[in-house]
């Protein structure tokens, strides 16, 4: 009885010590970026808009919904969450004893007489349950929980990236359609110019040099049209990969004749303060959870220097005869605690601690880099927002000036005042300027998508699991 009482006292003391933890106190590193963006003063900010509120174009919304349902990269990110959840459940289960059904049968010579005797037992058994006096298992559980939360944030980051990529792919298709229409119109105009120049050549009004120059310019336009058709096919293939399926027939048919200028405007996003990126960007939150996990791993490495206490116990019935297993007086129990104190391990525990501390330093650097990358992306998008509008206006005015120049060059050529070379140069310049107008408009819209992405986008409440694992 005395031995049983002392065992129970030891277990109670162990239960009190089980709250001990060697995890270092976590402190979020300071953000290694300036307080404000270089391109403008801080603004009062709001929560990032959900993508449904930011992208108003119905066809684009349809494509984003298809991508969220079918994109394989996003599907992998969701499955990674499930895997991390299961890993956390495994770590949490290590805190509790595993109870199983035990049955044993043995035959051995009896002490003294040497006669063979039988022994049978059956009951419930706890095998080598580690009592977490120094928080080693609890630290590993905290590390697994942080990894689960990091994986969840990784899924959110993947969604923001996917939404932005689909929007960019859609804008590329709109630009392709506009450039294709422009190339078709230019080719038709130059084919007509070849026809008129041939008539003038046959009438002796124009030279063969003028005719050959008109032919050259026409073939250049035909080559540009073929290039635009190829780019249009490549951009559609890229978008189909993001969607996880081909473009719906209705969407593909509606693209004909589309223009970037007809694309609905996107909502204005206030940039806010750089410090707000810490709570907005899922990739930054992911990096912080990885840092928290690395911090918890240090606690597990420190606890390995202290004794490990395990408990093996069994309660059931035992008898020398199989028929007597469940008779009165055959019941009993055994408790066998064990202690392992590391004395010499050739530096293994110290190396594990050094590795955990180095891992935390790596996680700090990765966290700081994530912040710096986010700051740079927001600054780039703000710089584009400040200058692309002015560039687009100037490009449009240049196109209008080139169109007027072409009209004057054509009039001067018909009246014999200017050479045909002047007319061809005006045609080439107008076509290049019209293409540039489309490209700048595309850059302007994609810069708005980039700002949405850089500010963390918007993840609806139903985009993540309703509840994580309980700790």
């Amino acid at each position: 009885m005395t031995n049983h009482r002392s065992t129970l006292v030891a277990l109670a003391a162990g239960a009190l010590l089980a709250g001990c933890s060697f995890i270092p106190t976590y402190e979020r590193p300071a953000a290694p970026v300036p307080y404000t963006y270089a391109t403008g003063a801080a603004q009062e900010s709001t929560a990032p808009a959900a993508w449904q509120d930011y992208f108003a174009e119905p066809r684009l919304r349809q494509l984003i919904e298809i991508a969220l349902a079918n994109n394989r990269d996003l599907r992998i990110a969701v499955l990674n969450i499930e895997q991390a959840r299961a890993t956390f459940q495994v770590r949490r289960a290590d805190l509790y004893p595993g109870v199983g059904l035990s049955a044993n049968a043995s035959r051995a010579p009896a002490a003294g007489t040497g006669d063979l005797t039988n022994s049978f037992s059956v009951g419930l058994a706890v095998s080598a349950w580690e009592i977490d006096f120094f928080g080693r298992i609890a630290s590993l559980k905290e590390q697994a929980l942080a990894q689960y939360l990091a994986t969840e944030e990784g899924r959110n980051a993947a969604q923001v990236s996917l939404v932005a990529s689909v929007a960019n792919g859609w804008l590329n298709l709109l630009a392709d359609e506009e450039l294709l229409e422009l190339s078709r119109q230019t080719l038709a105009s130059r084919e007509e110019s070849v026809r008129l120049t041939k008539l003038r050549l046959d009438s002796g009004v124009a030279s063969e040099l003028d005719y050959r120059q008109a032919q050259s310019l026409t073939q250049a336009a035909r080559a540009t049209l073929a290039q635009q058709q190829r780019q249009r096919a490549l951009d559609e293939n890229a978008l189909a990969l993001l969607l996880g399926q081909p473009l719906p027939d209705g969407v593909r048919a509606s693209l004909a004749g589309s223009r970037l200028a007809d694309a609905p405007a996107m909502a204005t996003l206030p940039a806010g303060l750089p410090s707000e990126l810490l709570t907005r960007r899922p990739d930054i939150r992911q990096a912080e959870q990885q840092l928290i996990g690395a911090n918890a791993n240090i606690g597990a490495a420190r606890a390995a220097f202290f004794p490990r206490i395990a408990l093996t116990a069994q309660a059931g019935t035992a008898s020398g005869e199989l028929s007597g297993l469940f008779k009165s007086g055959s019941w009993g129990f055994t408790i066998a605690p064990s202690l392992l104190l590391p004395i010499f391990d050739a530096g293994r525990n110290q190396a594990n601690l050094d590795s955990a501390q180095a891992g935390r330093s790596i996680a700090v650097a990765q966290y700081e880099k994530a912040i710096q990358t986010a700051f740079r992306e927001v600054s780039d998008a703000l710089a584009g927002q400040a200058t692309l509008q002015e560039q687009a206006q100037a490009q449009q005015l240049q196109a209008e000036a080139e169109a007027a120049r072409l009209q004057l060059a054509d009039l001067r050529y018909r009246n014999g005042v200017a050479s045909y070379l002047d007319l061809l140069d005006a045609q080439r310049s107008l076509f290049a300027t019209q293409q540039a107008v489309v490209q700048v408009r595309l850059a302007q819209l994609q810069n708005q998508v980039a700002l949405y992405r850089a500010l963390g986008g918007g993840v609806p409440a139903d985009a993540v699991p309703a509840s994580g694992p309980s700790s």
Side-chain angles (χ1 to χ4, degrees), residues 297-318:
N297 202 33
I298 293 178
R302 287 177 174 175
F305 285 89
F306 293 85
R308 291 190 189 183
I309 300 177
L311 178 66
T312 298
Q314 184 171 350
T317 177

Side-chain angles (χ1 to χ4, degrees), residues 317-342:
T317 177
S319 173
E321 300 291 339
L322 187 61
S323 59
L325 271 178
F326 300 100
K327 291 182 177 180
S328 176
S330 65
W331 297 93
F333 70 92
T334 61
I335 297 179
S338 64
L339 181 146
L340 175 62
L341 176 64

Side-chain angles (χ1 to χ4, degrees), residues 92-420:
R92 187 176 65 172
D94 289 340
L95 289 170
Y96 303 96
V99 180
L101 178 64
S102 172
N104 296 299
S106 64
R107 182 176 176 84
T113 65
D115 296 335
L116 295 177
T117 60
N118 298 325
S119 175
F120 301 93
S121 66
V122 63
L124 299 178
V126 175
S127 177
W129 169 44
E130 181 179 346
I131 304 175
D132 196 27
F133 283 180
F134 302 101
R136 188 186 73 87
I137 298 177
S139 297
L140 293 175
K141 186 201 73 168
E142 291 301 318
Q143 191 270 341
L145 176 61
Q147 184 59 44
Y148 166 80
L149 297 176
T151 308
E152 213 174 51
E153 294 297 349
R155 185 261 181 218
N156 296 341
Q159 173 171 314
V160 172
S161 178
L162 177 61
V163 169
S165 296
V166 172
N168 282 330
W170 171 252
L171 293 174
N172 282 331
L173 284 185
L174 295 183
D176 290 338
E177 288 292 337
E178 189 168 352
L179 290 171
L180 274 173
E181 183 61 26
L182 178 61
S183 297
R184 292 189 188 101
Q185 294 174 359
T186 301
L187 178 59
S189 174
R190 290 181 181 176
E191 286 176 339
E192 177 65 14
S193 179
V194 168
R195 189 186 69 81
L196 294 177
T197 305
K198 184 65 167 67
L199 291 176
R200 291 170 64 85
L201 174 63
D202 294 342
S203 302
V205 179
S207 65
E208 185 175 355
L209 177 61
D210 293 345
Y211 175 65
R212 296 303 179 185
Q213 288 175 330
Q215 281 186 320
S216 175
L217 207 59
T218 300
Q219 295 306 319
R222 183 170 286 110
T224 300
L225 177 60
Q227 181 183 2
Q228 292 293 345
Q229 289 171 332
R230 180 174 66 254
Q231 187 61 50
R232 165 68 173 74
L234 294 177
D235 287 340
E236 181 173 341
N237 292 340
L239 184 55
L241 178 62
L242 292 173
L243 299 182
Q245 67 175 52
L247 265 68
D249 293 336
V251 174
R252 183 185 291 105
S254 68
L255 280 169
S258 298
R259 299 176 67 251
L260 283 174
D262 298 332
M266 301 176 196
T268 301
L269 290 178
L273 297 172
S275 59
E276 292 175 341
L277 290 176
L278 302 182
T279 56
R280 279 188 173 189
R281 296 256 305 207
D283 58 334
I284 294 180
R285 297 199 300 267
Q286 179 184 18
E288 183 172 15
Q289 288 299 332
Q290 290 170 339
L291 173 56
I292 293 173
N295 199 59
N297 202 33
I298 293 178
R302 287 177 174 175
F305 285 89
F306 293 85
R308 291 190 189 183
I309 300 177
L311 178 66
T312 298
Q314 184 171 350
T317 177
S319 173
E321 300 291 339
L322 187 61
S323 59
L325 271 178
F326 300 100
K327 291 182 177 180
S328 176
S330 65
W331 297 93
F333 70 92
T334 61
I335 297 179
S338 64
L339 181 146
L340 175 62
L341 176 64
I343 298 177
F344 175 75
D345 61 3
R348 179 180 289 107
N349 285 340
Q350 184 61 48
N352 285 332
L353 178 58
D354 293 343
S355 175
Q357 291 173 336
R360 184 186 185 281
S361 299
I362 292 172
V364 170
Q366 291 173 334
Y367 173 72
E368 292 174 341
K369 182 181 178 181
I371 295 175
Q372 291 174 336
T373 300
F375 182 83
R376 184 241 170 126
E377 290 176 354
V378 174
S379 298
D380 288 349
L382 291 176
Q385 193 177 56
T387 57
L388 281 170
Q389 179 64 33
E390 183 178 351
Q391 182 181 354
Q393 292 175 349
Q395 205 77 59
Q396 182 61 42
L397 292 176
Q398 183 184 4
E400 294 173 1
E402 289 294 345
R405 175 192 169 198
L406 176 59
Q407 291 180 349
L408 293 175
D410 182 62
L411 182 61
R412 285 168 59 84
Y413 173 70
R414 292 176 185 275
N415 291 327
V417 178
S419 67
Y420 191 64

